[in-house]
Amino acid sequence: MLDRDIEPALSVTPSPWIGTYAGEGGGGLYPLTGTTGSLAVGPPYRDASNASFGVHASRFDLHYLADEQDIGRLGVHRRTSSGWHRLGSVATEGAAPCHVAIDATQSCIAVANYGNGGIAVYRLDQNSGMPIIPPMVYVNDGRGPDPDRQESPHAHWVGFSPDNRTLYATDLGTDAVLAFAFDAQSGTIGSVQTAFRAAPGSGPRHMLFHDSQPGLAYLVCELDSTLVTLDIDGTGNGSVELRERATLPTIPAGWSGHSILAHIGANAAGDRLYVSNRGHDSIAVFALDARGDATPIQHITSGGVSPRFFMILEEEARMMVVHERDHRVTMLDILADGTLASTGNAITVPGAAFALIG
């Protein structure tokens, strides 16, 4: 249950926090200061362990953070003027939860469990915002051609369609994007269908919907480092198909080292798209034209080893990049044309995995 004695966070200034892996030395959620100058890190909030991804619900002023461990959990947290508070957690009914999404009405939340290839969908209590158990659970089956990474299903991302009528899930292990009809009022999902079959061995990781073009999405595939532009055909009430428009590499032509893709994001204007490459250790920048077609315009070093996640800070014209291998958080400038430039601003955060504004 929600602690009624905890004050609301209305007077708290939002600031960046870094989620960390406990197995890599992380002590919880670390505050950062100095996003426009020298970075500094403060003592961690220790009740948010293995926070590898999360979302904030403005309706309840709550943060829902994945606790990515073998027996997965979803933690519910609130930040107030007196600090962070852990209000509870629920089992994700799977292993290694790595992605979380909330629907447009903020009445349901979905979790992707990487370890067992399943997703869980919870209704949220309309008063407290706490997830209601048990969730609806779907566990995929199948495998892909990569014996090391595709020996079984691996759900890696969940997301609700712009019209809030479809829940999508990417499966790195089976090279598929799944779709479920979604009813926000009842908090239920319908039967599963394969909305897109990616190239064998490509390993779909994350999807991103174009903000101003609801019929357009971008899929990034981890194992072959590609960006796939997709046209969305259908609605949540019937068959949904994602049709490939174009596929582009996210690493420069001629580069021969080993690299896997991590994160995707876009600017608020919707004309620049960013992808992080682990191994090449770079951020790829793509220009988006009026149709949403992507053209690569830059590859810039991310400033660390294995950039797992980045966060665009629009007001500061900065990008914060979180590196999982050398536990390094770096800051890049976002220039007027949407390209990036190094600032030399970096700091070590043990077990760094994710960034949020809290």
Side-chain angles (χ1 to χ4, degrees):
M1 295 294 292
L2 212 63
D3 189 337
R4 297 298 179 184
D5 295 328
I6 294 176
E7 62 192 290
L10 299 180
S11 61
V12 177
T13 301
S15 58
W17 295 74
I18 305 300
T20 61
Y21 286 125
E24 298 295 327
L29 203 59
Y30 290 81
L32 284 191
T33 58
T35 58
T36 57
S38 296
L39 289 173
V41 62
Y45 164 55
R46 297 190 177 278
D47 283 340
S49 184
N50 301 304
S52 62
F53 205 88
V55 293
H56 176 256
S58 58
R59 175 181 176 183
F60 307 109
D61 194 20
L62 294 176
H63 290 268
Y64 302 88
L65 302 178
D67 184 351
E68 189 176 340
Q69 55 180 318
D70 288 343
I71 301 176
R73 298 196 70 82
L74 179 68
V76 184
H77 308 261
R78 173 175 287 153
R79 184 183 174 222
T80 73
S81 58
S82 60
W84 283 90
H85 306 271
R86 182 175 179 271
L87 306 183
S89 70
V90 293
T92 63
E93 307 298 334
C98 61
H99 198 268
V100 184
I102 194 164
D103 85 296
T105 65
Q106 300 189 34
S107 59
C108 295
I109 195 164
V111 180
N113 290 302
Y114 179 87
N116 70 323
I119 66 166
V121 181
Y122 308 81
R123 289 187 299 114
L124 298 176
D125 183 278
Q126 63 179 349
N127 295 313
S128 70
M130 294 297 288
I132 298 171
I133 55 175
M136 292 192 70
V137 175
Y138 173 81
V139 180
N140 201 19
D141 57 16
R143 59 187 301 164
D146 187 321
D148 298 319
R149 295 294 308 279
Q150 296 184 311
E151 79 293 346
S152 65
H154 292 303
H156 217 310
W157 174 94
V158 283
F160 296 90
S161 61
D163 64 7
N164 212 41
R165 299 168 68 183
T166 305
L167 173 65
Y168 291 97
T170 63
D171 193 320
L172 181 146
T174 65
D175 295 318
V177 179
L178 308 178
F180 306 80
F182 171 66
D183 185 319
Q185 186 171 1
S186 63
T188 59
I189 55 174
S191 60
V192 65
Q193 65 178 98
T194 300
F196 182 69
R197 182 66 66 183
S202 60
R205 180 178 172 95
H206 284 184
M207 267 179 63
L208 178 72
F209 297 104
H210 195 291
D211 276 347
S212 61
Q213 300 189 47
L216 186 60
Y218 303 94
L219 172 70
V220 285
C221 295
E222 177 174 338
L223 302 184
D224 70 353
S225 298
T226 55
L227 168 70
V228 185
T229 302
L230 298 167
D231 289 304
I232 304 171
D233 183 12
T235 69
N237 289 335
S239 178
V240 176
E241 180 184 3
L242 303 175
R243 292 181 287 104
E244 178 183 358
R245 181 191 293 186
T247 296
L248 295 171
T250 65
I251 54 178
W255 193 79
S256 59
H258 175 70
S259 190
I260 56 175
L261 184 149
H263 192 56
I264 182 173
N267 64 355
D271 61 2
R272 294 293 182 268
L273 185 144
Y274 306 93
V275 177
S276 65
N277 297 301
R278 295 175 291 175
H280 190 251
D281 294 338
S282 66
I283 306 295
V285 184
F286 295 83
L288 301 180
D289 65 16
R291 293 185 67 249
D293 291 324
T295 301
I297 59 173
Q298 185 189 31
H299 291 86
I300 182 173
T301 179
S302 60
V305 180
S306 194
R308 181 184 186 273
F309 182 84
F310 59 81
M311 180 169 60
I312 298 171
L313 305 172
E314 290 275 355
E315 291 187 4
E316 294 88 349
R318 291 277 173 103
M319 176 184 286
M320 180 179 292
V321 188
V322 180
H323 300 82
E324 63 181 320
R325 295 298 182 195
D326 60 354
H327 316 288
R328 187 173 172 87
V329 178
T330 61
M331 199 70 66
L332 304 177
D333 276 330
I334 303 176
L335 305 181
D337 64 356
T339 60
L340 305 173
S342 175
T343 66
N345 199 357
I347 195 166
T348 297
V349 179
F354 172 67
L356 62 89
I357 295 294

